[in-house]
Amino acid sequence: MISRRKFVRNSTLMGAGLYVLPGMLQAGVAPVKEILKVGLIGVGLRGTNHLKNLLARDDVRVTAICDIDPARIAIAKDLFDKSAPVPAIFGKDEYHYRELLNLEEVDAVVISTPWLWHTRMAVDAMKAGKYVGLEVSAANTLEECWDLVEAHEKSGTHLMLLENVNYRRDIMAVLNMVRQDVFGELVHFRCGYQHDLRHVKFNDGKQPYGGGVEFGEKAISEARWRTWHSVKRNADVYPTHGLGPIAVMADINRGNRLRSITSTASKGIGLHNYVVKHGGEEHPNAKVKFKQGDVITSAIETTNGETIIVTHDCNLPRPYSLGFRVQGANGIWEVDGNRIYIEDRSPAHQWENAEEWLKEYDHPLWKKYGEYAEGAGHGGMDFFVLHAFVESAKAGIAPPIDVYDAASWSAVTPLSETSIENNGAPQEFPDFTRGLWMKRKPYDWIKDTY
């Protein structure tokens, strides 16, 4: 693995460092910080991964960490170089993070906590003047979506949604193809989060690779909190891994916007069956009524006329897939099978393997810097999303995935819930930009990212 420290040193603002920053040289931008002082709120599995990547950079100093689990604090502290300054530690209660936000030695925060805390922590951070990197999803309700937008607009502080799938190598290659008009005028998309998470939702810590039949207070890690969303909500509770990349391709909030959504839910048997299989019919959790349907399907219409099918499928046995499909007037790409068909270039009416296409249109960012991303997590895309956050925060400018994206993508959760409750009735997306989507220029993920 090529040193990421060396990468940062070589990525100066007069050269390669411009590649993640929109409008870096615009008038009025404050001087770029040479060292970004970062606090981490939440150092569970996801937060610890971010911590490792931040500690690998010469232009970042982690000055504070916060978690209410002492075991996670201990793990985080062990990652620091023994000769480096000891970070300030917070976590005596659920609101101790607010004292972290009072530190002058914190310029920016990375929030990787359970979902119900995302919005309130991000709002508090923006009010405190801290540049925010927020894990997905950003919000649980429409009110929270508006809270994020209003906190940004009142404070002038930016928020970046840390949606790493937007930086996946094949996704960025397909985005490159979209921008070069390979598919022609875009018409239809499919995407989603299709991931068997039963072993995550039930995790007693006793199995060698996770799993078990416990959740809530008797469980560990995400099973302590994530499973309650399946008990209480019949909604697509995790839409951004799929919708985020598609929204960028469709210029959502930048000349286009999400207009309406209809959602349906299948019956929910997967989690109950899992408990019975591994814990028996007499286990107390076998009596839990899970509200969430096993497969939730949402159909979204955009103002410019494209349609997007979004699927949430996490409670049944299945291989992993985000189910991407990009379809336009000239052709189509599907991630499952990695297949493509481009009219007048592919054999008539026959799928092609997309591998050579993805190589031909490999995103300049990956071609130049992919080696530096090795070992960063999730196939390297964690490096790129965090790098975009750090560089945007150092420059004090709007990130490529901003608060309006965070609000509109996360709004799928409450809107799908309402649609399902009303037999699939259409729900209108709020315009979180208040009309500015008509004037906002698309972020150029090709030109502005290398």
Side-chain angles (χ1 to χ4, degrees), residues 186-189 250 252 256 300-308:
L186 298 174
V187 176
H188 179 70
F189 305 92
I252 298 303
N256 194 8
I300 297 174
E301 295 182 6
T302 74
T303 298
N304 287 355
E306 301 94 349
T307 53
I308 308 169

Side-chain angles (χ1 to χ4, degrees), residues 115 157 211 287:
W115 299 336
T157 307
K287 300 178 178 60

Side-chain angles (χ1 to χ4, degrees), residues 193-195 198 201 230 233-235 264-274 290-297 311-318 420:
Y193 192 56
Q194 302 174 133
H195 190 186
R198 294 171 299 166
K201 294 182 177 182
S230 298
R233 306 193 73 174
N234 197 8
T264 58
S266 74
K267 58 186 175 182
I269 63 172
L271 298 182
H272 171 78
N273 289 350
Y274 185 87
F290 295 96
K291 190 172 184 180
Q292 187 178 61
D294 289 336
V295 179
I296 293 173
T297 306
T311 303
H312 182 276
D313 177 0
C314 297
N315 299 338
L316 294 170
R318 60 157 300 125
I420 290 167

Side-chain angles (χ1 to χ4, degrees), residues 283-447:
H283 193 281
N285 288 340
K287 300 178 178 60
V288 174
K289 302 295 184 182
F290 295 96
K291 190 172 184 180
Q292 187 178 61
D294 289 336
V295 179
I296 293 173
T297 306
S298 299
I300 297 174
E301 295 182 6
T302 74
T303 298
N304 287 355
E306 301 94 349
T307 53
I308 308 169
I309 303 297
V310 186
T311 303
H312 182 276
D313 177 0
C314 297
N315 299 338
L316 294 170
R318 60 157 300 125
Y320 174 87
S321 173
L322 297 186
F324 287 113
R325 171 174 165 181
V326 178
Q327 189 168 11
N330 296 342
I332 181 174
W333 169 76
E334 292 185 349
V335 70
D336 293 330
N338 192 26
R339 58 188 189 173
I340 193 170
Y341 176 79
I342 304 298
E343 190 172 45
D344 299 328
R345 296 182 64 180
S346 300
H349 307 294
Q350 296 181 35
W351 289 105
E352 285 186 83
N353 186 289
E355 192 63 32
E356 292 303 315
W357 288 85
L358 297 181
K359 288 181 180 178
E360 180 181 351
Y361 289 94
D362 195 18
H363 195 282
L365 178 61
W366 272 95
K367 286 195 290 188
K368 285 190 175 183
Y369 306 112
E371 293 175 282
Y372 295 100
E374 292 180 13
H378 291 94
M381 56 191 181
D382 285 353
F383 164 76
F384 289 111
V385 69
L386 202 61
H387 187 66
F389 163 72
V390 169
E391 293 293 342
S392 298
K394 283 165 57 181
I397 62 174
I401 307 174
D402 65 15
V403 71
Y404 302 104
D405 300 319
S408 58
W409 303 354
S410 298
V412 167
T413 295
L415 292 175
S416 66
E417 186 171 39
T418 301
S419 181
I420 290 167
E421 287 177 350
N422 291 278
N423 299 314
Q427 305 297 311
E428 296 295 316
F429 277 86
D431 177 8
F432 295 106
T433 73
R434 298 181 176 90
L436 292 180
W437 64 271
M438 290 183 283
K439 295 184 177 181
R440 296 180 82 209
K441 294 182 179 180
Y443 175 73
D444 192 335
W445 286 69
I446 306 301
K447 180 180 178 181

Side-chain angles (χ1 to χ4, degrees), residues 147-301:
D147 286 346
L148 291 171
V149 169
E150 290 171 358
H152 158 68
E153 292 179 345
K154 290 178 180 179
S155 68
T157 307
H158 292 291
L159 177 148
M160 177 172 176
L161 186 67
L162 300 177
E163 182 43 78
N164 60 351
V165 179
N166 280 61
Y167 291 87
R168 207 171 84 174
R169 191 163 199 162
D170 59 342
I171 293 301
M172 296 199 80
V174 173
L175 174 62
N176 197 5
M177 296 170 68
V178 167
R179 293 295 188 251
Q180 296 193 42
D181 205 34
V182 173
F183 299 102
E185 183 177 353
L186 298 174
V187 176
H188 179 70
F189 305 92
R190 293 189 181 182
C191 60
Y193 192 56
Q194 302 174 133
H195 190 186
D196 182 358
L197 294 180
R198 294 171 299 166
H199 66 291
V200 172
K201 294 182 177 182
F202 299 103
N203 193 334
D204 56 15
K206 298 177 182 178
Q207 306 299 322
Y209 302 104
V213 294
E214 297 294 351
F215 69 95
E217 293 301 318
K218 295 182 180 180
I220 66 168
S221 194
E222 289 184 47
R224 292 180 66 88
W225 56 269
R226 187 170 188 151
T227 314
W228 283 113
H229 291 265
S230 298
V231 176
K232 301 290 187 180
R233 306 193 73 174
N234 197 8
D236 183 338
V237 296
Y238 204 63
T240 70
H241 279 341
L243 183 58
I246 296 304
V248 170
M249 295 180 194
D251 292 331
I252 298 303
N253 295 326
R254 297 163 177 83
N256 194 8
R257 79 177 189 92
L258 304 177
R259 185 166 65 89
S260 67
I261 182 173
T262 61
S263 300
T264 58
S266 74
K267 58 186 175 182
I269 63 172
L271 298 182
H272 171 78
N273 289 350
Y274 185 87
V275 173
V276 170
K277 179 178 180 180
H278 295 280
E281 294 184 357
E282 301 304 316
H283 193 281
N285 288 340
K287 300 178 178 60
V288 174
K289 302 295 184 182
F290 295 96
K291 190 172 184 180
Q292 187 178 61
D294 289 336
V295 179
I296 293 173
T297 306
S298 299
I300 297 174
E301 295 182 6

